[in-house]
Structures are given as C-alpha cells and as structure tokens.
C-alpha cells in the first residue's frame, strides 16, 4: 500500500509520517499562539459560525471569571452576552455567512466595531468595545469570527459622569445653571410662540450661612441636599427646579394660568420650610426668601426675568425673610439706590463723611442724666443725609461695618472723654455693635486697642447688641460677652422684644441692661398689648437683676406710665433728640445742676 499523500500549504505534498510531524508542529504552534494571545492585554475571542467558543485568551478568563475549559465549544451568546447584544452579533454573523466564502478579508479594513455588555460569572456587567474580523480557513472554507476587545466600562462611566455634570449639580442632583438656562430659553421660546405665561422663582435660604459657620460645611451641604429634595415636591413634573450655586435655587413654573398660581407654589414652599431639617443630630429650622418674576409682564428675556426675580428675592429678605415677593418696577429703583449707596459707602470713611450724634439717657428715679447713646450720621454729597436704618444693613452685608464700627468706637471714646466730670454722675456712653462686628474674631483685640489708644475708661462704656445677634449662636455669644464683661464694659440688649429671646439663655448671658424697643413704647398708653409687653419685660428684667431703658419716649404720658412700671431709664425726643457733640456739651452745661 502506497503512502497516503496529503497536499498541504503551498501545494507541498506530505505522507502520513509527515502529517504526524505536521500535527505536532501545529499543536506546538497552537500552544505558542495561545501563549502569545495570553500575554496581550486585549480580550481575544474566536467563535465559529454557530457562535461556539474556539479560542478564549487569559484576559477573557480574567474578566469573565470563566476558564477556557468551562466555555470551550459553548455558544458565547448564551453565556456572556445580553440577549439584545447577542442578536446584534448573530445578525452580523449571519450577514457574513451569506457570502462567507467570498473572501478572507474583514468587512472593512478596521473590522466591525461594536460595544456591548459582557456578563461575567459573578453577574457583574462590563462594557467591552469589540473589533470583529472574519477569518476564513482557505482550505476548509470554514469561517470564524475573531473578536478583540477592551474593557471600556470605567472610561464610559467617567464620560457619562462628565456629561451628567455638565448639566446636573453633583451635590443636589438637580439641574445646574447650564441646564437651567437651556430650559429657560426653551420655555421662553414656547411662551413667545404660544402666547403663554410662565414664572420664575428665585429662592435663597435664610440662615444657610449660619448653619455653615456654626455646624460646618458638611452640615451646610447636607442642608442643601435636604432642601433640594423638598423643592421638586412642591411643583409639577413639567417644572424645573435648579440649583444655581451656594444656597440659591431657581424654579421655572411652566404652566401658569394666572399670576397668583405662582403665589400658591411659593406658599407651598414656605410651608415645607417651616418644618425642621434633621442634620445628623441637629434639628435645624431654616427659612427661605422667594422672589417671583412673571413672563411677559416682568421681562421679555432671560437676563431681565432672572435679574427681576433676584431683586424681588432681596426685597423678600429685607422685609423679614421667610416670605415671598412679586417683582414690581419700584424694586428696581430701590435696588439701584442700594447699589449706588454701596459704592458711596466704600469711599465714605476716607472722605470723612461720617459724624456722630449723642442722645442723652435719663435715670427715672431722680431725672438725672445717666449717659448717652452714640448714633452714627452719614451726609453724602450725592444723597444728602442717609439714615443709619438704610445704610447700616448695607455696611453689614458688605463687611464695611467692621472699619466703620471701629471708627465709631474710636471717635466716641475720644469725644466722650471730654464730658466726664461735667455731670454729677459718671456718664455711661453707649455704642451700638452690629452682628458682623460681634462675630468678628478681632472684636476683643480691636476694643482693647481703641481703649488703650484713647485712654477711655471701659467702665464708662456700654455696648448695645440686638437680641437676634446674641441669640443666633447663644453658646459662642456667651463667651464673647464674657470677654467683653471681663474688660469692665457694660452690655445692653437693644431693641428688646423684637426678636425671639430664650429666657433660659437670657439668664446665662452676662448682660446688664435691656432696652425696650421704641415700637412698644410709642403706643404704651393706648395699646393694652404694648403695655402688657413693656410691663412683662420690666418685671422679668428686674427679676434677672437687669436694668431697663425705654427707647423712643416722646410724651410725658409715656414717661409717667414707664415710671409707674419702675422702668430704670428713658431715652427719647421728650428729653432730647440726638445731638452733635457741641450741642451735647451745651446740653450738659445747661443741665449741670442735675
Ligand atoms: P437704635 O440703636 O435703637 O437707636 C435708637 C434710634 O431711635 C435712633 O435712630 C434714634 O435717633 C431713634 N430715636 C431716639 N429717640 C427717639 C424718639 O423719641 N422717637 C423716635 N421715633 N426715634 C427716636 P437712628 O439714629 O436713626 O438709628 C437707627 C438705628 O441705626 C439704631 O437703632 C441702630 O440700630 C443703628 N445705628 C445707629 N448708629 C449706629 C452705629 O454707630 N453702629 C451700628 N452698628 N448701628 C448704628
Ligand atoms: Mg442702640
Ligand atoms: Mg434701639
């Protein structure tokens, strides 16, 4: 029997022995090939026409959690691919099968590129970017699909996150400023085309800064997240709630039949904010101030609508916070004035535009002068006299109150020295201290320096603070108040009755005096409620061993009423208006006998 002959590669003819040798070579070749494939980082997978796995390299094993032997000969789409992805591959494979004998070339030079999910043995999903090429065994005509892939899960996730972050705020998951502008511009287009109304609500949390400053930024962030969860509950799905930075949120109310519908939503939001937010183990009540502008009445473009809702929000803040205001054109006039005042205020100290007035205070038991309150005055070349009621809040907000307040104290101490000895008793000079000054870390140092510089006796100085300033953060306030007291300075709580004082704290505060706000004094003889409040304040203050001064006493009836209540001191136009220093000297000289 002649040797069986085989025709292999390049028409080379070999015998059985030769074939054996060739098999060994092929086997070795195959092993070498597998070793090579195992060293490449890419996933390499070969499947036959039925989708059964022919080759599965080490990278595939590592990623899938299967070893080759577990999968060898099994249809890959039953194991590794999702059904939808499997269909895509099958279709591709089928389309090739139709002309599979035509060529061993891939469908195009780079092969077919597809991304699909791969389900690994432990059930986790990885996104793989595959390049498929057809390989055809010329000899047998059998075609295979060679797939090489890379795991792009992390990359794609990062891409998606990036895409998300260009439109959503990472902290609150609400639309961010960019998406908000997109939606607003779309809304505007729709409203113009179909003659519709819509409203823009500008929200700013009240007391957010306080939470941030006292409980830390993490709690501040938590508060924003919790607030952000509440807001969408108050609106329809078709509306947009966006977080545009800091503690500012905006809402587009898309379907508005009448302006008052916006008020209903604003009321809902205010209602939600009456409930405390639980920030870890702190319970926190924060309000919200809302400004509303309505298209088309309050603006015909994005910037105007946004600016006007912002202006209205400031108005809401100015009128007691935790409320809402609709925009009206007067607000712009106010906002403009405020802006101009701010810029003038920045130059006022340098231009010597401030002066001080002093208003005497009287002891009611003997009608003797007891001291005076220092009140700042501002005359501007542009606006004439500007009341402290108007500019002190601007100075507070801008931080200008710090240098202005220092100037007041220094000037008051310097001027006040000359009046000591002119009355029969030492005169206690009161100076108002604003919230921002009180919270400033340099407060104590600054007071010490001014007292040292001017030589003013601290025991003849009284600092007036409003209730809200000390109550806001009572524990740290007590520390600062103690430092002030330790210097020998007196402390008064100004405008008492206007805030929400906690009596238990009041007892712990090292204070000397309460000043009853003039709003209670003005109707004390006619309004039984005001009379009751004044009576209660005086009785409570005395039981806490505090002195009481009544502010804004204008009539002798008021004075007599207060005297009957055993009020200690009074101050007001009945005795004297605030006076410039020269007039105050004259006042003292005229009253020297007291
Ligand atoms: P305040 O500290 O409660 O001062 C009392 C205010 O009542 C003063 O208003 C005073 O002029 C006014 N007043 C006194 N007697 C009467 C009266 O019989 N009837 C009426 N209707 N008003 C009377 P002013 O000077 O306009 O100051 C307003 C507020 O501005 C002050 O209220 C105080 O909170 C603030 N302020 C004034 N000067 C300073 C300052 O130097 N620093 C700070 N931080 N605030 C100041
Ligand atoms: Mg005062
Ligand atoms: Mg006052």
């Amino acid at each position: 029997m002649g040797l069986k002959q085989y025709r292999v590669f390049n028409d080379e003819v070999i015998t059985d022995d030769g074939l054996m040798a060739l098999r060994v070579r092929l086997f070795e070749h195959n092993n070498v090939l597998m070793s090579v494939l195992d060293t490449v980082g890419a996933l390499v997978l070969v499947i036959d026409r039925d989708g059964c796995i022919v080759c599965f390299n080490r990278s595939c094993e590592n990623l899938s959690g299967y070893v080759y032997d577990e999968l060898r000969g099994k249809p890959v789409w039953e194991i590794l691919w999702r059904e939808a992805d499997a269909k895509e591959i099958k279709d591709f494979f089928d389309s090739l099968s139709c002309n599979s004998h035509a060529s061993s070339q891939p469908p195009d030079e780079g092969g077919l590129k597809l991304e699909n999910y791969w389900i690994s043995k432990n059930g986790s999903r990885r996104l793989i970017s595959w390049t498929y090429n057809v390989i055809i065994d010329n000899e047998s005509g059998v075609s295979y699909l060679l797939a090489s892939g890379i795991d792009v899960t992390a990359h794609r996730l990062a891409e998606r996150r990036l895409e998300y972050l260009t439109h959503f705020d990472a902290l609150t998951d609400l639309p961010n400023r960019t998406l908000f502008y997109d939606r607003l511009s779309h809304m505007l287009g729709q409203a113009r085309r179909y003659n519709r109304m819509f409203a823009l609500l500008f929200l700013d949390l009240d007391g957010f800064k306080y939470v941030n400053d006292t409980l830390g930024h993490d709690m501040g962030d938590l508060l924003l997240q919790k607030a952000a969860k509440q807001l969408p509950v108050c609106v329809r799905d078709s509306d947009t709630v966006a977080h545009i930075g800091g503690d500012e949120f905006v809402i587009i109310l898309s379907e508005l039949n009448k302006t008052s519908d916006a008020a209903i939503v604003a009321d809902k939001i205010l209602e939600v904010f009456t409930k405390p937010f639980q920030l870890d183990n702190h319970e926190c009540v924060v309000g919200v101030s809302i400004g509303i502008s309505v298209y088309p009445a309050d603006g015909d473009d994005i910037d105007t609508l946004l600016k006007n809702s912002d202006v209205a929000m400031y108005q809401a803040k100015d009128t007691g916070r935790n409320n809402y205001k609709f925009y009206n054109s007067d607000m712009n006039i106010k906002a403009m004035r405020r802006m101009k005042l701010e810029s003038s205020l920045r130059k006022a100290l340098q231009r010597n535009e401030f002066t001080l007035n002093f208003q005497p205070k009287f002891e009611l038991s003997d009608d003797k002068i007891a001291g005076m309150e220092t009140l700042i005055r501002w005359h501007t070349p542009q606006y004439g006299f500007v009341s402290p009621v108007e500019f002190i809040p601007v100075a507070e907000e801008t931080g200008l109150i710090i240098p202005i307040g220092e100037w007041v104290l220094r000037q008051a101490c310097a001027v006040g020295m000359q009046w000591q000895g002119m009355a029969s008793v030492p005169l206690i000079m009161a100076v108002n201290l604003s919230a921002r000054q009180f919270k400033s870390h340099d407060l104590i140092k600054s007071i010490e320096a001014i007292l040292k510089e001017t030589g003013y006796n601290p025991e003849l100085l009284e600092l007036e603070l409003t209730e809200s300033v000390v109550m806001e953060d009572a524990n740290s306030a007590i520390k600062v108040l103690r430092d002030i007291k330790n210097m020998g300075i007196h402390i008064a709580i100004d405008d008492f009755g206007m805030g929400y004082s906690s009596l238990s704290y009041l007892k712990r505060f090292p204070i000397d005096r309460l000043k009853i706000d003039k709003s209670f004094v003005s109707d004390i003889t006619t309004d039984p409620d005001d009379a009751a409040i004044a009576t209660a304040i005086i009785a409570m203050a005395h039981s806490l061993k505090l002195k009481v001064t009544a502010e804004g006493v204008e009539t002798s009836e008021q004075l007599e009423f207060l005297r009957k209540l055993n009020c200690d001191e009074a101050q007001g136009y009945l005795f004297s208006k605030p006076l410039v220093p020269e007039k105050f000297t004259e006042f003292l000289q005229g009253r020297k006998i007291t």
Side-chain angles (χ1 to χ4, degrees):
M1 198 170 82
L3 278 176
K4 214 170 170 190
Q5 293 191 337
Y6 301 88
R7 191 177 291 268
V8 291
F9 313 124
N10 304 332
D11 288 346
E12 192 187 340
V13 176
I14 55 170
T15 61
D16 267 349
D17 287 351
L19 187 65
M20 198 56 185
L22 182 66
R23 281 204 176 121
V24 171
R25 258 169 59 205
L26 274 175
F27 180 75
E28 284 168 353
H29 203 77
N30 198 27
N31 270 350
V32 170
L33 201 67
M34 278 311 290
S35 308
V36 171
L37 291 179
D38 281 346
T39 59
V40 295
L43 307 162
V44 179
L45 175 76
V46 180
I47 48 181
D48 65 17
R49 298 181 64 153
D50 301 320
C52 297
I53 294 172
V54 174
C55 167
F56 193 72
N57 78 340
R58 180 74 40 84
S59 295
C60 287
E61 289 186 342
N62 291 344
L63 196 80
S64 70
Y66 293 105
V67 290
Y68 178 39
D69 285 344
E70 285 179 87
L71 299 185
R72 188 206 308 252
K74 296 201 172 142
V76 66
W77 35 68
E78 284 177 18
I79 303 158
L80 292 168
W81 274 302
R82 295 185 316 175
E83 216 173 312
D85 291 330
K87 184 171 177 340
E88 205 172 2
I89 311 290
K90 269 185 195 164
D91 290 349
F92 166 64
F93 209 48
D94 288 348
S95 73
L96 286 171
S97 307
C98 301
N99 51 3
S100 59
H101 299 282
S103 135
S104 64
Q105 285 304 307
D108 59 51
E109 280 306 304
L112 173 81
K113 292 192 190 320
L114 280 179
E115 267 184 16
N116 45 49
Y117 281 102
W118 207 358
I119 321 283
S120 55
K121 196 172 181 179
N122 66 9
S124 66
R125 279 189 339 161
R126 308 296 301 177
L127 185 68
I128 316 290
S129 171
W130 293 105
T131 305
Y132 296 96
N133 279 299
V134 178
I135 42 173
I136 298 175
D137 182 339
N138 279 340
E139 196 68 17
S140 61
V142 178
S143 56
Y144 297 94
L145 197 61
L146 167 70
S148 64
I150 45 169
D151 179 0
V152 291
T153 317
H155 182 73
R156 199 62 79 244
L157 277 179
E159 261 179 15
R160 284 195 193 145
R161 182 84 191 136
L162 211 66
E163 201 183 294
Y164 179 82
L165 289 180
T166 52
H167 290 112
F168 288 86
D169 168 48
L171 182 70
T172 59
D173 278 334
L174 289 177
N176 63 10
R177 188 179 280 272
T178 311
L179 185 55
F180 162 71
Y181 270 92
D182 275 1
R183 300 240 177 114
L184 188 55
S185 132
H186 179 252
M187 188 67 243
L188 197 63
Q190 296 280 309
R192 278 183 186 146
R193 190 166 319 134
Y194 302 109
N195 254 335
R196 282 198 207 139
M197 262 166 88
F198 72 91
L200 200 60
L201 272 60
F202 200 113
L203 283 74
D204 188 288
L205 303 189
D206 302 327
F208 172 72
K209 192 178 170 309
Y210 172 64
V211 172
N212 241 354
D213 290 350
T214 53
L215 302 179
H217 290 268
D218 287 350
M219 288 301 131
D221 284 353
L222 192 59
L223 172 62
L224 290 176
Q225 286 170 333
K226 298 219 163 182
K229 280 220 166 61
Q230 293 296 327
L231 293 174
V233 178
C234 305
V235 299
R236 297 186 192 163
D237 287 348
S238 52
D239 300 331
T240 295
V241 178
H243 180 219
I244 55 168
D247 58 345
E248 291 176 345
F249 296 86
V250 274
I251 298 177
I252 307 169
L253 296 182
S254 53
E255 282 166 41
L256 207 68
N257 292 324
K258 47 190 183 319
T259 311
S260 56
D261 289 351
I264 296 173
V265 175
D267 269 328
K268 245 197 233 173
I269 296 171
L270 292 177
E271 170 67 27
V272 161
F273 276 78
T274 55
K275 298 188 189 86
F277 289 98
Q278 192 67 41
L279 306 178
D280 278 359
N281 43 12
H282 304 276
E283 235 185 28
C284 229
V285 182
V286 281
V288 59
S289 298
I290 307 171
I292 306 171
S293 65
V294 176
Y295 172 87
D298 302 331
D300 189 32
D301 59 89
I302 290 183
D303 288 341
T304 313
L305 285 164
L306 202 56
K307 192 193 88 206
N308 289 346
S309 61
D310 188 24
V311 166
M313 186 279 291
Y314 267 100
Q315 276 295 305
K317 267 216 191 301
D318 275 357
T319 45
R321 296 167 177 245
N322 208 26
N323 62 7
Y324 65 85
K325 279 267 177 293
F326 277 95
Y327 171 78
N328 70 46
S329 49
D330 284 355
M331 288 180 182
N332 255 345
I333 300 168
K334 280 193 193 146
M336 284 301 287
R337 177 171 162 96
R338 192 186 172 99
M339 245 170 60
K340 286 187 183 153
L341 275 189
E342 185 183 320
S343 97
S344 304
L345 202 56
R346 291 189 186 280
K347 299 169 210 137
L349 259 185
Q350 204 186 344
R351 292 182 178 170
N352 283 324
E353 290 173 359
F354 294 120
T355 55
L356 292 183
N357 273 5
F358 297 87
Q359 186 177 33
K361 302 191 294 170
F362 290 85
E363 189 72 47
L364 292 190
S365 60
D366 56 10
D367 284 347
K368 281 184 180 167
I369 183 165
M372 58 285 194
E373 178 173 4
T374 311
L375 296 160
I376 191 169
R377 295 290 173 258
W378 183 25
H379 294 271
T380 72
Q382 214 176 346
Y383 302 105
F385 173 75
V386 183
S387 160
V389 176
E390 187 177 5
F391 76 79
I392 293 285
V394 183
E396 269 277 312
E397 213 165 273
T398 50
L400 288 166
I401 193 69
I402 302 285
I404 294 174
E406 277 181 15
W407 178 86
V408 170
L409 185 62
R410 181 174 294 111
Q411 192 67 10
C413 288
V415 176
M417 297 273 281
Q418 60 175 313
W419 296 319
Q420 297 303 340
M422 286 182 74
S424 58
V425 290
L427 298 175
I428 307 268
M429 183 177 66
V431 174
N432 292 286
L433 213 58
S434 81
R436 190 127 174 193
Q437 279 176 283
F438 186 66
K439 285 184 211 148
S440 150
H441 295 299
D442 292 334
L443 175 70
I444 302 297
K445 259 196 278 166
S446 153
I447 298 174
E448 274 171 352
I450 290 170
L451 290 174
K452 195 164 164 216
E453 197 182 304
T454 56
Y456 193 85
N457 179 356
E459 305 208 338
L460 301 177
L461 180 64
E462 184 164 272
L463 295 177
E464 292 188 8
L465 290 149
T466 58
E467 262 178 294
S468 51
V469 170
V470 282
M471 285 300 164
E472 206 177 81
D473 180 10
N475 286 326
S476 40
I478 288 175
K479 276 194 226 120
V480 183
L481 292 175
R482 284 222 180 95
D483 287 343
I484 296 175
K485 274 302 280 185
N486 287 341
M487 292 161 78
I489 298 169
H490 305 259
I491 298 167
I493 302 294
D494 204 357
D495 305 341
F496 193 80
M498 297 298 282
Y500 304 94
S501 283
S502 145
L503 285 184
S504 60
Y505 274 118
L506 211 56
K507 208 172 63 187
R508 287 170 56 202
F509 285 146
I511 52 178
D512 304 277
R513 180 183 303 281
L514 298 183
K515 295 187 80 178
I516 304 178
D517 191 72
K518 55 179 177 289
S519 60
F520 300 112
V521 175
S522 63
D523 294 329
I524 203 169
T525 54
T526 51
D527 183 336
D529 287 345
D530 285 352
I533 290 171
T535 311
I537 292 176
I538 295 169
M540 179 198 66
H542 286 164
S543 71
L544 293 173
K545 311 248 174 321
L546 304 175
K547 298 273 186 198
V548 182
T549 301
E551 295 182 322
V553 180
E554 293 181 349
T555 67
S556 42
E557 289 79 21
Q558 290 165 351
L559 181 64
E560 283 323 304
F561 197 99
L562 289 159
R563 226 191 270 280
K564 280 201 196 104
L565 295 178
N566 281 331
C567 181
D568 304 278
E569 264 188 9
Q571 168 186 356
Y573 296 167
L574 176 67
F575 304 97
S576 165
K577 290 209 160 184
L579 302 168
V580 296
E582 301 72 40
K583 291 279 176 207
F584 188 78
T585 308
E586 284 173 24
F587 186 86
L588 279 181
Q589 284 166 341
R591 286 218 164 220
K592 208 166 183 175
I593 15 78
T594 60

